Amino acid sequence: MPLNQTPCVGFQMPDLRRERPVQRRAVATGELQVGSAYSALVERRLPRGDALLLAQVAGLQGARNVAQLIPLHSLPTPDYVELRCLPLPGEDAVRVYCEVTGTACGSLALEALAGVNAALLCLCDQLEVLQPALCLREVRLLFDEGGPQGLRIHPRGLDEDEREHYLPQAASGLAGARCAVITLSDRAQAGTYADRSGPLLVEALQSLGAVVADVVLLPDGVEPLATRLKALATAGAELVLCTGGTGFGPRDLSPEALRAVADRPVPGLGELLRSESRHHTELAWLSRAEAGLIGRCLVVTLPGSPRAVAQGMAILGPLLAHARAMLRGEPHPDGRNHA
């Protein structure tokens, strides 16, 4: 290549090889100002038939075919798409909602927005003969949730109807739960290392509505952690998250400390953390993360790195509210007792 010639800039898809596929959900909305054609639309008197029904079909197709429209899209496949077309009689307009859910490595926000836009454009196609002065407006993503970024909601929030139909699953979370965070680190205790994992756990719990009543920094070893766990459970803590001490080092003894005071083990959570973290790194299988119950307090020991903590909370977060309900003896949402 000549020295005076600028090299071509290449393109590549997002690298999702180390991303964990998780359950995600996104909801978008938008409106079409119909004007004088409004009555013919809602009364199904348009020349080509029921435009509202056809717009729903177009929206479903739009949400499922984003990769054909957007270059280098990560190609998540929605498991479920729902379109709602709501006439707004006082405004001579139609509002469209598109809800998309699925297990994917990337966000489904584009799928929800594509569904809304496809439905609105289909209505335009049906209405332009009667009313050429059509106006699309207020197209926006209401929220998307799931994955490491958690819940992302539009700054305008949701109105009453939207909260009734599309309340984010993470909105209630651990509302009011009394929690504690413990960091195990000789270096942090000695002041030679800044604890970054503990504050991440505090932030994650608070985002779920929890009350983090205790934030503790302890040295490694069995006795300091075992004593503090027993005291926190006795004082009424519902959830204690520990970070550090789950490796192979001679002072990595968090699992042993938990076993010393736990009334019952919860082996499934440790297995889940290792199994799901393998999507991020093969070293996940070397983690000795564990969980157990001290009375009605759930304790989980997580690795010490900030990245592992963030990934661990993305894995545990969807389960914690249900775990709390089980410990409190609350009925299952469908009326059955908890497993």
Side-chain angles (χ1 to χ4, degrees):
M1 176 183 296
L3 294 179
N4 61 350
Q5 187 173 3
T6 303
C8 295
V9 178
F11 299 97
Q12 64 183 27
M13 292 182 64
D15 188 355
L16 301 178
R17 290 174 294 179
R18 290 297 183 185
E19 294 296 324
R20 182 177 68 96
V22 296
Q23 185 69 24
R24 297 175 183 262
R25 179 170 175 248
V27 179
T29 186
E31 296 179 7
L32 175 67
Q33 184 70 46
V34 178
S36 60
Y38 178 81
S39 296
L41 172 66
V42 297
E43 295 171 8
R44 274 68 173 177
R45 293 188 288 102
L46 293 177
R48 302 190 207 175
D50 192 340
L52 293 174
L53 181 59
L54 192 60
Q56 293 181 27
V57 176
L60 294 173
Q61 292 179 336
R64 297 186 63 85
N65 290 280
V66 175
Q68 298 179 26
L69 302 173
I70 307 299
L72 308 181
H73 187 58
S74 57
L75 196 62
T77 303
D79 297 329
Y80 174 79
V81 181
E82 179 183 276
L83 264 291
R84 295 172 65 216
C85 296
L86 303 180
L88 304 176
E91 305 177 37
D92 289 342
V94 176
R95 181 179 298 158
V96 173
Y97 290 99
C98 180
E99 176 183 1
V100 182
T101 61
T103 302
C105 293
S107 168
L108 293 173
L110 281 183
E111 281 67 22
L113 287 166
V116 167
N117 280 285
L120 292 174
L121 290 175
C122 180
L123 289 175
C124 289
D125 179 52
Q126 300 292 306
L127 290 165
E128 64 175 350
V129 175
L130 299 178
Q131 172 59 279
L134 298 169
C135 177
L136 276 69
R137 66 188 188 189
E138 302 291 342
V139 177
R140 68 189 188 279
L141 181 72
L142 289 181
F143 66 84
D144 73 313
E145 58 183 338
Q149 294 179 314
L151 173 64
R152 298 186 300 170
I153 192 166
H154 194 278
R156 287 179 50 182
L158 283 68
D159 63 27
E160 184 176 349
D161 178 72
E162 290 163 351
R163 286 193 298 270
E164 179 181 352
H165 288 89
Y166 302 113
L167 186 67
Q169 295 174 354
S172 57
L174 294 173
R178 179 175 177 180
C179 302
V181 169
I182 301 178
T183 300
L184 285 302
S185 172
D186 288 334
R187 290 189 300 154
Q189 176 73 12
T192 60
Y193 172 80
D195 174 28
R196 292 186 294 149
S197 299
L200 282 178
L201 285 178
V202 172
E203 182 180 348
L205 287 170
Q206 290 175 340
S207 71
L208 295 173
V211 177
V212 184
D214 298 274
V215 181
V216 184
L217 178 61
L218 296 176
D220 290 307
V222 172
E223 194 279 332
L225 178 57
T227 300
R228 185 56 63 95
L229 288 177
K230 197 70 174 178
L232 288 170
T234 302
E238 298 177 77
L239 172 66
V240 179
L241 298 181
C242 307
T243 172
T246 62
F248 286 7
R251 297 271 293 163
D252 289 336
L253 299 171
S254 295
E256 286 73 19
L258 175 56
R259 289 181 214 141
V261 294
D263 301 314
R264 292 178 288 168
V266 186
L269 290 184
E271 296 165 5
L272 175 68
L273 286 168
R274 282 180 285 278
S275 177
E276 292 300 303
S277 295
R278 82 189 192 281
H279 293 285
H280 302 296
T281 172
E282 63 276 7
L283 300 180
W285 297 112
L286 301 180
S287 169
R288 300 193 306 123
E290 287 193 11
L293 300 175
I294 306 174
R296 292 193 173 186
C297 175
L298 172 63
V299 180
V300 184
T301 63
L302 295 164
S305 78
R307 182 177 180 182
V309 162
Q311 294 166 353
M313 281 305 297
I315 295 168
L316 291 175
L319 301 176
L320 293 179
H322 190 79
R324 181 195 184 201
M326 294 173 70
L327 286 169
R328 291 159 63 96
E330 296 175 357
H332 194 281
D334 63 6
R336 298 180 289 108
N337 291 328
H338 295 281

